[in-house]
Every structure is written in structure tokens, then in C-alpha cells.
């Protein structure tokens, strides 16, 4: 508009300064990290809520009880002096992580039990016994096919046993999590040293993570693409329960 190229040159120079300086600013980098943190937290919230909607009402009530325990612990330790708040913050992060792990275990327990409810070990064993008994009487080509069937059914029985074992591990870990958090809630009434409580939670977090790893090792069982093992979600279970929605924790 002025008939001169100077404004354009000035604008280009200012833009270069902005591009060169602003991304290096610590305040700008903190802002970007906060955006990334918020985006990651939203993704985790979506996943957690999906898990929460899948589990049946009785499991939601169980989760709600544990969530209330954690709230009580936070409220009790929130009354400590400001010098102790650094330990309280660590403890709160661990409580959030435990709630996430507990919800994942509840969901895994539900999926495992759905599998066991739909797949009869006894029926598979009867089929295997029948195939093995009649194998020698069959033509060679039929024997070849049935040997493969015997191998498949044997593997399925083995996996069925692993799922049963997994269920027992999940039940024990969920009960242990509830017991420890009830103890910590009781200790929080007398405002026990938050550092000791944080150490207790650290051990519990480690146990839950180990259990989750055990669960993941057999999760591939549910990927078997057979009509017999496919699990469908019951829409009736998606009705809202009285339990509060799960909160997510994102490690910064």
C-alpha cells in the first residue's frame, strides 16, 4: 500500500526472528509440553472409560469402592504441612496409577471369565478322547486330518488351563490391592509419614505391573479367529453405573 517493499522486508524479518527465538523459549516449550500432556491424557481417558463401560455392574461397584478409598487417603494426607506435600504428590500419582491398573485387571478378569463361561473344557476333553480312541480305525487320509485336530484341541486345552490360572492370579492381585489400600487408608487417619506410605505404594504398583504383564502374555488367546472364542460386547452392560468415571495418570 505504501508503494515500498520495506514493510514486506520488515515483516519477513520479524517472522524469522519469531521462528528462531520463540521455539527456543523455555516458556514456549513448557506450553507445548502441556498441550502434549493434555492430548495424551485425553487419549488415556477415552481408553479407560471404554474399559469401564465393558465391565459388569458388580465390577463397577468394586472399582467405585477402591476409588473412594483413594479419595479418603488423598483427603487425609492433604491436611499435612506444605513441606510434606512433595511426598503427598508422589503418593497421589501412585494412587492414580493403581486405579488404572486395577481397572485394567478388572476388565481382563471379565474377559477371561467370559471365555471360560463360553468354552467348555469338558466338551473339548470329550472330543479329544473320542478322536484319539477312534484314530487307529480310520483311513490314512482321515487319520492325517484328525491328528491335526488332536494337536489343535490339545493346544486349546493348554491355553484354557493358562486362562484359569490367570484368573486366579488376577483375583489374588485385586484382593491384595484392596487390602493394602484399606491399610493405607487406616494409616492415613493417624497421618503416618507419607514417605513410608509412598514406599508401600511403590511396592504395590510393582506387584500390579507384574500381574498385568502376566495377563498380557496370554491375551493373544482372545485373538483366535474362531466363532467359538469370539466375544461380543453386551449393550445392556453399557448403561451408566453409579461409580465415578476412572481418572487417568500420565507420567510427565
Amino acid at each position: 500500500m505504501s508503494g515500498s517493499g520495506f514493510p514486506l522486508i520488515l515483516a519477513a524479518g520479524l517472522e524469522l526472528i519469531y521462528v528462531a527465538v520463540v521455539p527456543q523459549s523455555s516458556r514456549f516449550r513448557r506450553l507445548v509440553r502441556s498441550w502434549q500432556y493434555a492430548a495424551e491424557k485425553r487419549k488415556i481417558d477415552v481408553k479407560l472409560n471404554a474399559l469401564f463401560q465393558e465391565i459388569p455392574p458388580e465390577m463397577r461397584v468394586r472399582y467405585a469402592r477402591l476409588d473412594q478409598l483413594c479419595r479418603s487417603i488423598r483427603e487425609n494426607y492433604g491436611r499435612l504441612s506444605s513441606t510434606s506435600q512433595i511426598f503427598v504428590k508422589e503418593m497421589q500419582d501412585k494412587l492414580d496409577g493403581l486405579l488404572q491398573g486395577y481397572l485394567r485387571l478388572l476388565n481382563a478378569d471379565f474377559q477371561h471369565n467370559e471365555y471360560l463361561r463360553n468354552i467348555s473344557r469338558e466338551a473339548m476333553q470329550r472330543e479329544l478322547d473320542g478322536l484319539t480312541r477312534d484314530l487307529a480305525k480310520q483311513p490314512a487320509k482321515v487319520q492325517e486330518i484328525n491328528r491335526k485336530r488332536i494337536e489343535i484341541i490339545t493346544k486349546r486345552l493348554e491355553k484354557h488351563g493358562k486362562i484359569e490360572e490367570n484368573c486366579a492370579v488376577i483375583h489374588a492381585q485385586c484382593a491384595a490391592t484392596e487390602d493394602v489400600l484399606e491399610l493405607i487408608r487406616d494409616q492415613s487417619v493417624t497421618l503416618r509419614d507419607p514417605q513410608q506410605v509412598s514406599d508401600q505404594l511403590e511396592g504395590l504398583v510393582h506387584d500390579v505391573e507384574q500381574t498385568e504383564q502376566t495377563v498380557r502374555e496370554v491375551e493373544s488367546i482372545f485373538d483366535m479367529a474362531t466363532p467359538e472364542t469370539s466375544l461380543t460386547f453386551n449393550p445392556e452392560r453399557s448403561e451408566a453405573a453409579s461409580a465415578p468415571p476412572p481418572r487417568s495418570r500420565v507420567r510427565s
Side-chain angles (χ1 to χ4, degrees):
M1 291 176 64
S2 66
S4 169
F6 178 73
L8 294 176
I9 295 173
L10 179 61
L14 290 173
E15 185 176 357
L16 286 174
I17 293 172
Y18 176 85
V19 171
V21 174
V22 172
Q24 306 304 319
S25 165
S26 60
R27 182 178 297 181
F28 179 79
R29 289 199 297 268
R30 286 196 300 271
L31 179 61
V32 171
R33 283 198 297 270
S34 70
W35 291 340
Q36 292 172 340
Y37 176 91
E40 185 177 352
K41 185 177 183 300
R42 283 193 295 271
K43 289 179 182 177
I44 293 175
D45 283 338
V46 169
K47 292 179 181 178
L48 290 174
N49 279 296
L51 293 177
F52 183 76
Q53 293 301 323
E54 285 183 7
I55 60 177
E58 60 271 19
M59 285 187 172
R60 296 185 194 181
V61 171
R62 238 180 124 178
Y63 176 86
R65 283 200 299 264
L66 199 76
D67 180 75
Q68 185 56 50
L69 268 177
C70 292
R71 288 173 187 268
S72 298
I73 294 168
R74 289 190 189 95
E75 289 172 3
N76 289 338
Y77 279 106
R79 299 196 297 267
L80 289 175
S81 64
S82 57
T83 55
S84 301
Q85 289 305 308
I86 183 171
F87 299 117
V88 173
K89 178 63 169 64
E90 290 178 4
M91 183 175 59
Q92 289 175 343
D93 289 342
K94 289 169 185 174
L95 286 172
D96 288 342
L98 281 172
L99 279 171
Q100 285 187 37
Y102 185 80
L103 178 58
R104 286 192 292 266
L105 289 178
L106 285 179
N107 185 272
D109 187 32
F110 168 66
Q111 298 292 342
H112 283 47
N113 279 292
E114 283 290 283
Y115 174 88
L116 295 175
R117 185 173 63 83
N118 288 296
I119 306 300
S120 169
R121 182 183 186 87
E122 291 74 18
M124 285 192 291
Q125 188 63 58
R126 285 195 300 270
E127 187 176 7
L128 179 63
D129 292 343
L131 286 170
T132 304
R133 183 178 58 251
D134 300 335
L135 190 65
K137 307 172 187 177
Q138 297 165 343
K141 188 64 178 176
V142 176
Q143 284 187 24
E144 181 182 351
I145 294 171
N146 283 339
R147 283 195 186 94
K148 292 179 181 177
R149 291 183 62 199
I150 289 171
E151 182 181 354
I152 291 170
I153 295 172
T154 301
K155 287 181 179 178
R156 291 185 62 208
L157 283 168
E158 192 177 314
K159 290 178 179 179
H160 194 283
K162 287 181 180 178
I163 292 179
E164 289 179 325
E165 181 181 344
N166 233 30
C167 280
V169 172
I170 292 171
H171 291 163
Q173 185 60 64
C174 285
T177 300
E178 293 162 0
D179 291 342
V180 172
L181 287 179
E182 284 176 354
L183 173 62
I184 291 173
R185 188 270 315 277
D186 295 342
Q187 292 170 341
S188 72
V189 174
T190 57
L191 297 180
R192 183 178 174 180
D193 181 7
Q195 178 61 66
Q196 295 180 17
V197 174
S198 183
D199 292 342
Q200 280 182 306
L201 287 172
E202 186 67 39
L204 185 55
V205 168
H206 177 70
D207 292 342
V208 170
E209 288 175 348
Q210 280 194 323
T211 302
E212 286 192 89
Q213 178 60 36
T214 302
V215 171
R216 283 193 291 270
E217 287 173 359
V218 295
E219 275 184 347
S220 58
I221 295 168
F222 299 109
D223 294 332
M224 296 171 64
T226 62
E228 187 179 22
T229 60
S230 63
L231 299 177
T232 57
F233 175 66
N234 185 351
E236 294 179 358
R237 288 200 171 95
S238 64
E239 296 178 358
S242 59
R247 295 185 303 277
S248 66
R249 177 188 66 157
V250 181
R251 297 183 183 273
S252 56

